[in-house]
């Protein structure tokens, strides 16, 4: 079903040309701000993620933050959730670090024992 804005059908939906260019001069297009051409030839700017539209592309830019907040909300609604997650990760990191250190100590001891055995039987370099 074609998109309808202000009672008019959208006939073209393209990324919006940004007012800036890349260092090499190539044009930059805002992918999240859409340039919508309507059946009567008028142009309006819309959000890629929802039905928000405006005659000014600069009004769509701040609107995009609403979609960013949705992503951030998935990490916890308050700081306590995030602190609990960080503390759990730190505890796991501590456990892994202690395990790694134990294995390293055991490997170094085995290496010393192997060198001692080689010296005792007269083979290999010490």
């Amino acid at each position: 079903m074609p998109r309808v804005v202000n009672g008019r059908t959208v006939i073209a939906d393209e990324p919006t040309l940004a007012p800036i260019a890349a260092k090499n001069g190539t044009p930059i297009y805002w992918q999240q701000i859409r340039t919508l051409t309507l059946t009567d030839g008028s142009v309006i700017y819309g959000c890629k993620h929802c039905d928000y539209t405006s005659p000014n592309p600069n009004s769509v830019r701040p609107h995009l933050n609403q979609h960013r907040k949705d992503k951030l909300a998935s990490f916890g609604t308050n700081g306590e959730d995030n602190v609990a997650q960080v503390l759990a990760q730190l505890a796991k990191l501590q456990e892994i670090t202690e395990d790694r250190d134990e294995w390293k100590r055991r490997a170094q001891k085995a290496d010393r024992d192997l060198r001692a055995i080689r010296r005792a039987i007269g083979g290999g370099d010490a």
Side-chain angles (χ1 to χ4, degrees):
M1 173 179 268
R3 187 171 177 181
V4 176
V5 175
N6 297 335
R8 293 169 285 192
T9 304
V10 175
I11 58 173
D13 180 347
E14 302 169 335
T16 300
L17 180 63
I20 57 174
K23 289 182 181 180
N24 64 4
T26 58
I28 295 175
Y29 289 90
W30 288 327
Q31 298 299 319
Q32 296 183 70
I33 300 175
R34 310 303 293 180
T35 300
L36 308 172
T37 305
L38 306 178
T39 52
D40 66 355
S42 63
V43 174
I44 195 161
Y45 301 94
C47 176
K48 177 180 181 178
H49 308 288
C50 68
D51 292 334
Y52 180 84
T53 59
S54 173
N56 183 348
N58 294 328
S59 297
V60 181
R61 284 181 56 100
H63 161 79
L64 293 172
N65 286 327
Q66 290 183 350
H67 299 293
R68 187 169 164 257
K69 290 177 187 173
D70 290 344
K71 291 180 183 175
L72 294 177
S74 66
F75 293 112
T77 55
N78 59 30
E80 293 174 14
D81 292 342
N82 291 333
V83 171
Q85 290 172 354
V86 169
L87 289 176
Q89 290 176 344
L90 284 174
K92 183 148 180 89
L93 176 63
Q94 181 66 29
E95 181 182 328
I96 291 170
T97 302
E98 290 171 0
D99 191 44
R100 180 211 54 202
D101 292 345
E102 173 63 20
W103 279 104
K104 183 177 180 179
R105 185 191 63 72
R106 290 175 66 184
Q108 289 171 336
K109 182 181 181 311
D111 194 39
R112 286 191 302 273
D113 291 347
L114 182 58
R115 271 190 253 135
I117 291 170
R118 284 184 178 158
R119 266 187 259 125
I121 60 173
D125 56 347

